[in-house]
Amino acid sequence: MATDSWINETLYPAWGQRFLVKRELARVQSDFQDIVVFESETHGRVMVLDGVIQITEADEFVYQEMLTHVPLLAHGSAANVLIIGAGDGGVLRRVLQHKTVAHAVMVEIDGEVIRLAKEFLPKIAGGAWNDPRAEVIVGDGIDYVKRAPNGAFDAIIVDSTDPIGVGEVLFTDAFYENCARILTPRGLVVNQCGVPFMQADELRETSTRRHAFFPHVTAYVAAVPTYVGGFMTLGWSAKDATLTAVPVETIRARAAAAGILGMTQYWTPEIHAGAFNLPPYIARHLPA
Ligand code: SAM
C-alpha cells in the first residue's frame, strides 16, 4: 500500500486516491485491523484502517457534523446518545457540544484506534474523552446493543467501517432489531452507508434491512472530499416519520439552544434540511 512516499487507498481495486506522505506516525496490526496514521502533505494527519481512509484532519468536520448534528437537531431533545465505532472521538466531541445531551456512550471495538487517535489525532476529539457525560467502552457494538435495556437511548449514531471484517455485524438484522428495541418511541439511528456511486449495494442492502424494524427509512448526503466518488450517504432509520421534515427555522432555533449555531464549517440549518433531497441515482436504492 505504501510505495516510497505515497499511500494508495485500497477500497476499490481499480480506482482510488493516493496521498503523498510527509511522515508515517504509526503502523499497528491490532487484533482487528491494520492501522496506519500518517502526516500527509495536503490533508493534515490521516488514519487508515485496512487500507481504507477513515478520517483526515482536513475534512473530518464535514462527516462528523452531518453524522451528529442532523439526527440530534431533528430529534430536538436527545438526552441519551449511543455511538458505535467512531474510535477517533470526532462524533463524541460533537455529540457533547449539544447541551441537551446528558449521557453519551461510545462503543468502539478496537482500543488501539482510541489509543492512536489520542496520541496522534488529539484535535479530532478535543476534550471529549474527559467529559463527565462521556462513557467510552472498548467492545463490539453488536454485543452492547444486545445487552442494553429497552428504550435506553434517544439516538444511535453508527460510525463504523464498511460491512467487511469487524464492521459487518453492524449491518445485520440482529443489530437493527436491537437498535429498535433500545431506542425511545421517537428514537432514530443514523449510520455511515458508503459512497453510493461506488457502493450502492451498501446503501440498498442496509436500507432494506433497517426497513424491517423502522417505519421510516431514508438517507441524507454529505460531500466528504476524501470519501471518493461523490456524495457520502448517511442512513436514516426513524420511528417518527416527521423528523426529516423539521422546518429550517425550528432547526435553527434548536441549534441556537443547543449551542451549535455558528460553531460549524459544513452543517447549517439549510444544509440540514436540503441533505434529504436525494439525486435519483441515490434515491433509487432506497425502499419505496
Ligand atoms: N468515518 C469512517 C468511515 O466513514 O469509514 C469511520 C471512522 S471510525 C475509525 C470506524 C470505526 O468503527 C473503527 O474505529 C472500527 O474499529 C470501528 N468498528 C468496526 N466494527 C465495529 C464493531 N463491530 N463494534 C464497534 N466498533 C466497530
Side-chain angles (χ1 to χ4, degrees):
M1 182 178 69
T3 54
D4 297 332
S5 59
W6 290 92
I7 277 197
N8 297 295
E9 184 174 34
T10 60
L11 182 56
Y12 312 118
W15 183 52
Q17 63 186 329
R18 65 176 187 160
F19 287 88
L20 184 57
V21 177
K22 185 186 283 184
R23 187 163 53 108
E24 186 170 291
L25 300 168
R27 181 179 291 273
V28 169
Q29 181 61 51
S30 77
D31 293 339
F32 302 97
Q33 52 211 334
D34 175 65
I35 309 170
V36 175
V37 183
F38 67 93
E39 186 87 46
S40 72
E41 289 286 356
T42 51
H43 288 67
R45 293 185 171 187
V46 183
M47 177 181 279
V48 188
L49 299 180
D50 284 343
V52 179
I53 303 298
Q54 300 292 309
I55 193 163
T56 83
E57 285 181 325
D59 69 354
E60 58 88 21
F61 67 90
V62 177
Y63 176 79
Q64 318 279 15
E65 288 178 12
M66 291 301 282
L67 194 60
T68 303
H69 299 330
V70 174
L72 296 193
L73 295 173
H75 183 283
S77 56
N80 298 294
V81 179
L82 174 60
I83 304 164
I84 305 288
D88 46 71
V91 171
L92 182 64
R93 173 162 78 90
R94 284 173 177 79
V95 165
L96 293 170
Q97 285 174 341
H98 290 253
K99 295 173 190 163
T100 52
V101 170
H103 189 209
V105 179
M106 181 186 125
V107 183
E108 160 59 55
I109 199 167
D110 194 341
E112 282 298 90
V113 171
I114 295 174
R115 179 181 71 82
L116 294 167
K118 284 181 176 177
E119 183 173 355
F120 295 110
L121 295 162
K123 287 188 280 187
I124 301 288
W129 302 118
N130 305 312
D131 189 305
R133 296 172 294 161
E135 178 184 357
V136 178
I137 297 168
V138 177
D140 193 330
I142 186 76
D143 296 337
Y144 184 87
V145 299
K146 283 179 179 172
R147 290 195 306 269
N150 296 356
F153 295 99
D154 301 299
I156 300 173
I157 299 173
V158 185
D159 179 18
S160 72
T161 42
D162 289 313
I164 40 183
V166 284
E168 195 165 2
V169 290
L170 305 180
F171 293 79
T172 60
D173 290 347
F175 180 74
Y176 296 129
E177 184 170 23
N178 279 289
C179 284
R181 177 182 59 77
I182 68 176
L183 280 168
T184 50
R186 291 184 65 247
L188 73 163
V189 188
V190 294
N191 64 298
Q192 85 86 2
C193 264
V195 173
F197 186 75
M198 296 295 289
Q199 301 170 298
D201 291 350
E202 189 168 320
L203 175 63
R204 183 171 54 250
E205 288 163 15
T206 183
S207 300
T208 304
R209 286 183 182 280
R210 285 184 275 114
H211 208 212
F213 306 103
F214 291 89
H216 187 223
V217 170
T218 185
Y220 60 108
V221 292
V224 185
T226 53
Y227 294 163
V228 294
F231 277 134
M232 170 86 173
T233 41
L234 303 168
W236 181 274
S237 311
K239 297 181 179 181
D240 177 349
T242 67
L243 294 188
T244 54
V246 179
V248 169
E249 287 318 308
T250 304
I251 296 169
R252 190 185 320 281
R254 288 178 180 175
I260 301 299
L261 211 54
M263 290 182 67
T264 57
Q265 295 302 307
Y266 183 92
W267 180 92
T268 67
E270 292 77 8
I271 290 273
H272 174 134
F276 291 97
N277 297 293
L278 304 175
Y281 88 90
I282 295 178
R284 69 167 174 256
H285 296 295
L286 291 168

